[in-house]
Amino acid sequence: MRNTSQSKFDMKNLLALLFLITFSFSAAGNTPKISLEKYIETWKDVAISQMHSHGVPASITLAQGILESGFGNSDLAVKANNHFGIKCHDWKGESFLKDDDKRNECFRKYKNAAQSFEDHSHFLTGRSRYAFLFDLDVTDYKGWAKGLKQAGYATNPSYDKRLIDLIERYDLDQYDKYSFDDLIVNQEPELQNKKDTKAPKLNAPSKNTHTQAVKNKRQVHTNKNRTMYVIAGNHDTFYQISKEFGVSLRQLNRWNDFPADKEVLEKGDKVYIMRKRKRIADELTNLKATDLQELWKISQEHGVQLKSLAERNNITPPSFALNK
């Protein structure tokens, strides 16, 4: 039979063990939250890098990250590394279900948060409805904030004001003035002192985009209507092509009459790098169509302005085809 002192010792050990288990579960469920200032410090260099690679102001990237992710503390940010509230749409990767405007909406899930920042840039540069934003100066954060609201990035009617308030309160617009060289200089001491293979890599600056285009010359085609175009490849974006040929996203969007639902480029899409002609080729003279989508496909195939085809077929052209 065990003595009383041994029983007391065992009981104390058991209570201590139960305390440790309870404390461990409690600590795991109360991970320290990231402060807003720490979030800015952690991601400002990545935002600046994205600005030089893709043309999205660093202040806008940071403000959206702060707002959409609760500066990295939301369930979406913690469990899915999604800092910008981007939903699945045409996404083929992992997903995360979360209640938003509707129950169990599908959001993109990333391997790490840096991937979320990169995808945010691709999301904005790859969709025609955001094309007009890239005509704005990179330091025009107010124009960008209002433009994001106008383009429907978020449903909150005060979305632009909240972004502007964050930018001005935390002086985020200072990062819009950083050159890529400034970024490299600021990174050098840290990179020399520690080698972190998991740290997000800096993208090449936008000034090298043209050099890259020269190295990887894409073939330029000319149709019977003497209109030049290129064929989109895998993962091509409107922004990529606009930079390669030195035209603005707005121009590219107008020249191609991209409809509002043309979210991304697909392999094989024709992308005109000059204004399409008003002249209608002989084989299209007797064309009759009632479907606007069909007209747009014909417009792209033959290099004819959608407005001209629509007028010939007595169809009211869409607003994006009027201001040519």
Side-chain angles (χ1 to χ4, degrees), residues 35-140:
S35 70
L36 196 149
E37 291 77 9
K38 178 65 175 175
Y39 185 88
I40 295 170
E41 184 61 28
T42 301
W43 294 109
K44 63 181 176 63
D45 288 345
V46 174
I48 294 167
S49 172
Q50 292 298 312
M51 175 176 69
H52 286 284
S53 297
H54 300 287
V56 182
S59 62
I60 287 292
T61 297
L62 286 170
Q64 284 195 282
I66 291 167
L67 189 58
E68 298 286 348
S69 76
F71 38 99
N73 295 304
S74 69
D75 275 353
L76 192 59
V78 173
K79 296 177 181 177
N81 288 313
N82 188 330
H83 284 230
F84 298 93
I86 300 179
K87 296 180 181 177
C88 289
H89 300 299
D90 55 321
W91 181 246
K92 294 180 181 178
E94 290 188 64
S95 60
F96 180 81
L97 298 180
K98 176 182 173 296
D99 292 349
D100 193 51
D101 297 326
K102 300 176 183 177
R103 284 187 56 116
N104 281 334
E105 290 204 73
C106 183
F107 288 84
R108 300 182 180 190
K109 184 177 180 180
Y110 306 97
K111 293 179 181 177
N112 53 59
Q115 192 180 53
S116 175
F117 276 74
E118 179 74 15
D119 192 48
H120 170 256
S121 296
H122 282 291
F123 185 80
L124 294 180
T125 59
R127 284 159 171 75
S128 58
R129 61 188 166 119
Y130 298 115
F132 70 95
L133 289 171
F134 294 88
D135 287 342
L136 301 175
D137 194 279
V138 77
T139 59
D140 185 7

Side-chain angles (χ1 to χ4, degrees), residues 152-171:
Y153 189 96
T155 56
N156 190 317
S158 301
Y159 192 72
D160 56 334
K161 294 176 183 176
R162 295 179 71 181
L163 290 178
I164 292 168
D165 180 64
L166 281 169
I167 291 169
E168 294 180 346
R169 185 181 301 178
Y170 295 98
D171 296 321

